[in-house]
Amino acid sequence: MTGMNSTGRPSSPAALAAAEGNRGLHLEEPLIFERGAEGRCGIDLPPVPKHKPRLGSVRREGKIGLPGLSEPQVVRHFTRLSQKNFGIDSVFYPLGSCTMKHNPRLNEKMARLPGFADLHPLQPQATVQGALELIDQLADWLMKLTGLPAVAMSPGAGAHGEFCGMAAIKSALDARGEKRTRVLVPESAHGTNPATAAALGFTVDPIPATAQGRVDLAALETKLGDDVAAIMLTNPNTCGLFEPDVIKIADMVHKAGGYFYCDGANFNAIVGRVRPADLGIDVMHINLHKTFSTPHGGGGPGSGPVVLAESLAPYVPLPYVVRQGDAYGLVEHAADAKGKKPFGRMKGFHGQMGMFVRALTYMLSHGADGLLQVASDAVLNANYILASLQDVMSAPFKGPCMHEALFDDRFLKDTGVTTLDIAKALIDRGFHPMTMYFPLVVHGAFLIEPTETESRETLDTFIAALRDLAAQAHAGKVDMFKQSPHYTPRRRLDETRAARQPVLKWTPEKDSENSIPHAAE
């Protein structure tokens, strides 16, 4: 059957593209302005009635410059653009929950119910009782899963949540009358952590990692003092490793009078298995999109609720939901926050309602046992990749890992091939590249996060592709790598020029309205 199914199929795409840039049904798509022709139109409009110009000096002097297109040309153009959207619905996307995680369609259906999708943030509270109840119920799930007694729901993303949590710490320190100025940030933390601490006026003091990729406890001991406000620890850390000394770290920081902030962006690996409160964590943000499936790739919208210990609960930002008998209300003003001292407001309204609906739908559809299984499967899949590639790629730290497998570029030594070359060649195999060159503590890093939803067959195909690329690197196929990707509409870009001289707006050349603009490549 294998031979029959492969009969007539090329083992690799054609070596040369057609003159028009097409390859099979993989069609080159120019800008819509480049498709237009003078005098062509897809629709008839009545003549514009004469009227008195009212725009004065801002009135357009020349032609508007719309392309002349028939209706089929317009439909095909935008349909092809839609097909160029490369994401988790198309293929395996090893950037994992960090950027792109499977989002069950049920979540989307629930989020689009008119009662949620059509809400207006200025509606009277009596008309949005169901929405407030949903926020309250989601908050209750987050508190139960983390073991922490308070939660701020309004932060709009992970870094926004970091700012919220650290602002609560700053408020608590101010209330204690203490001027603590330093925040300790391990090298294995997310890059936004030091930026957040600095944005709040703290001095960032890095903690080195051990040869095993964990926090160096001896270095931490030397850094502690009465000016330390907090430690910001990512756990599991950016190397995909659990910090086995996390309770000891918490005790050390607490003994010095500081707070323990946890970057909970990797909660996906431990949800249902570990309650952060039991680890000594005082405050932690949760990326709903990383743990509870809300789509986030491409820049949002995100949602980063923050759970807090009793010591920080009084400082939760406004607004927040309260239960009033059988009804729900919103505390919008500090004067109404009885017994609390909110540090302010993170955003204009109450958080990302659509994200809340998706996250709670995910929780309810999985149940407590299902969430435990999610974490288990995410860790299993990452370890399957780590174990399957360890003999051909080099892992900087001994496994097992948590939800993401990390490799470095030692296996490419003396081959002339780099991490970037492997990533570009992987595109030709039909896979989006993994996270590259991060974490920074690992040279030439490959960070692969498969998530819990990928099948054994998908992982095996991906593993086979990487094994073959490693073999080709050692076989001296350097030119093949340097020319990759071969089969995309655009070849490898000049990434420096694309980043520093991007051309984001089409402008006709002066000598020809139909000329092709310069592309950032």
Side-chain angles (χ1 to χ4, degrees):
M1 288 298 291
T2 302
M4 182 182 297
N5 287 337
S6 62
T7 300
R9 296 180 183 177
S11 57
S12 63
L16 296 173
E20 69 274 24
N22 297 333
R23 180 178 288 110
L25 292 180
H26 192 172
L27 304 181
E28 173 73 2
E29 188 61 28
L31 298 176
I32 196 167
F33 293 95
E34 298 163 8
R35 285 195 173 279
E38 187 72 26
R40 186 177 298 158
C41 184
I43 187 170
D44 293 326
L45 296 173
V48 178
K50 291 185 178 180
H51 61 280
K52 184 178 180 182
R54 292 176 293 177
L55 296 176
S57 61
V58 298
R59 183 184 180 191
R60 178 184 291 277
E61 297 294 336
K63 294 181 178 178
I64 193 170
L66 293 177
L69 296 154
S70 66
E71 181 172 326
Q73 283 182 302
V74 173
V75 171
R76 288 171 182 167
H77 174 74
F78 287 105
T79 300
R80 287 171 185 157
L81 290 185
S82 73
Q83 292 168 339
K84 294 184 183 300
N85 185 26
F86 195 91
I88 193 68
D89 288 343
S90 306
V91 292
F92 175 45
Y93 204 99
L95 289 177
S97 62
C98 186
T99 303
M100 195 66 75
K101 178 176 176 178
H102 172 63
N103 180 47
R105 293 298 179 269
L106 174 64
N107 301 3
E108 292 302 309
K109 186 174 182 179
M110 294 300 104
R112 283 166 171 71
L113 291 175
F116 296 128
D118 297 343
L119 287 174
H120 192 285
L122 295 179
Q123 279 184 237
Q125 293 180 21
T127 67
V128 293
Q129 286 295 299
L132 297 180
E133 182 178 2
L134 184 144
I135 296 174
D136 186 70
Q137 191 174 350
L138 175 59
D140 188 61
W141 270 81
L142 295 176
M143 289 187 288
K144 283 186 168 61
L145 289 170
T146 59
L148 289 161
V151 58
M153 298 297 290
S154 63
H160 207 207
E162 287 178 32
F163 192 92
C164 173
M166 291 304 295
I169 288 175
K170 191 173 185 6
S171 297
L173 291 172
D174 289 344
R176 281 161 44 176
E178 297 182 30
K179 188 66 175 177
R180 291 175 176 253
T181 57
R182 269 193 307 137
V183 170
L184 308 179
V185 182
E187 289 180 347
S188 56
H190 278 132
T192 48
N193 290 180
T196 296
L200 282 160
F202 292 110
T203 298
V204 178
D205 197 349
I207 304 295
T210 65
Q212 292 74 41
R214 270 81 172 194
V215 174
D216 186 328
L217 293 184
L220 172 62
E221 182 72 47
T222 65
K223 299 275 188 177
L224 291 171
D226 59 9
D227 62 339
V228 169
I231 188 171
M232 296 185 78
L233 179 78
T234 301
N235 190 40
N237 66 29
T238 58
C239 299
L241 304 171
F242 191 82
E243 294 284 353
D245 293 317
V246 60
I247 294 178
K248 188 172 183 179
I249 292 170
D251 290 342
M252 292 169 69
V253 174
H254 288 155
K255 189 176 179 181
Y259 289 96
F260 184 178
Y261 184 92
C262 181
D263 185 313
N266 292 338
F267 192 41
N268 185 60
I270 59 174
V271 63
R273 285 197 168 274
V274 178
R275 296 194 315 165
D278 297 335
L279 303 178
I281 290 165
D282 298 311
V283 55
M284 182 179 88
H285 77 264
I286 301 170
N287 292 9
L288 295 185
H289 54 280
K290 294 192 69 170
T291 305
F292 304 111
S293 86
T294 297
H296 186 66
S303 185
V306 177
V307 287
L308 305 101
E310 288 283 1
S311 58
L312 297 174
Y315 309 102
V316 292
L318 298 166
Y320 56 84
V321 176
V322 292
R323 188 161 186 169
Q324 301 166 329
D326 293 332
Y328 294 88
L330 280 165
V331 175
E332 295 271 13
H333 306 286
D336 300 325
K338 297 176 182 177
K340 296 185 177 181
K341 302 173 183 177
F343 66 75
R345 183 180 284 266
M346 293 295 297
K347 60 192 304 183
F349 295 107
H350 321 111
Q352 302 283 10
M353 193 65 208
M355 309 300 110
F356 295 161
V357 176
R358 292 179 178 92
L360 185 60
T361 303
Y362 187 85
M363 292 172 174
L364 294 175
S365 58
H366 279 78
D369 57 337
L371 294 178
L372 175 65
Q373 189 69 43
V374 163
S376 303
D377 290 349
V379 173
L380 176 63
N381 280 356
N383 278 285
Y384 183 69
I385 287 177
L386 181 67
S388 300
L389 291 170
Q390 271 187 319
D391 61 327
V392 295
M393 297 176 66
S394 45
F397 307 117
K398 188 177 180 181
C401 62
M402 296 300 289
H403 62 302
E404 48 197 0
L406 179 63
F407 298 93
D408 58 27
D409 60 357
R410 286 176 297 159
F411 75 101
L412 296 173
K413 185 179 180 182
D414 299 328
T415 64
V417 177
T418 66
T419 297
L420 179 65
D421 297 331
I422 295 283
K424 296 298 184 185
L426 200 55
I427 294 174
D428 283 337
R429 306 301 180 97
F431 294 105
H432 190 288
M434 68 295 287
T435 300
M436 296 182 297
Y437 300 116
F438 184 82
L440 301 177
V441 293
V442 173
H443 193 272
F446 300 77
L447 188 62
I448 303 170
E449 186 176 0
T451 80
E452 64 278 2
T453 51
E454 297 300 339
S455 68
R456 168 82 176 269
E457 293 76 13
T458 298
L459 297 183
D460 283 341
T461 305
F462 178 72
I463 289 165
L466 276 176
R467 292 185 69 87
D468 184 59
L469 291 177
Q472 296 205 39
H474 286 283
K477 303 286 184 63
V478 179
D479 288 343
M480 182 277 290
F481 280 102
K482 296 301 179 186
Q483 296 299 320
S484 296
H486 295 80
Y487 307 130
T488 51
R490 293 287 181 271
R491 303 294 295 278
R492 191 181 299 204
L493 300 179
D494 178 341
E495 297 194 354
T496 301
R497 187 181 168 206
R500 297 180 181 177
Q501 298 176 319
V503 181
L504 305 177
K505 179 182 178 182
W506 182 83
T507 305
E509 296 285 355
K510 290 182 179 179
D511 58 344
S512 172
E513 293 189 356
N514 294 321
S515 61
I516 299 176
H518 296 295
E521 58 180 338

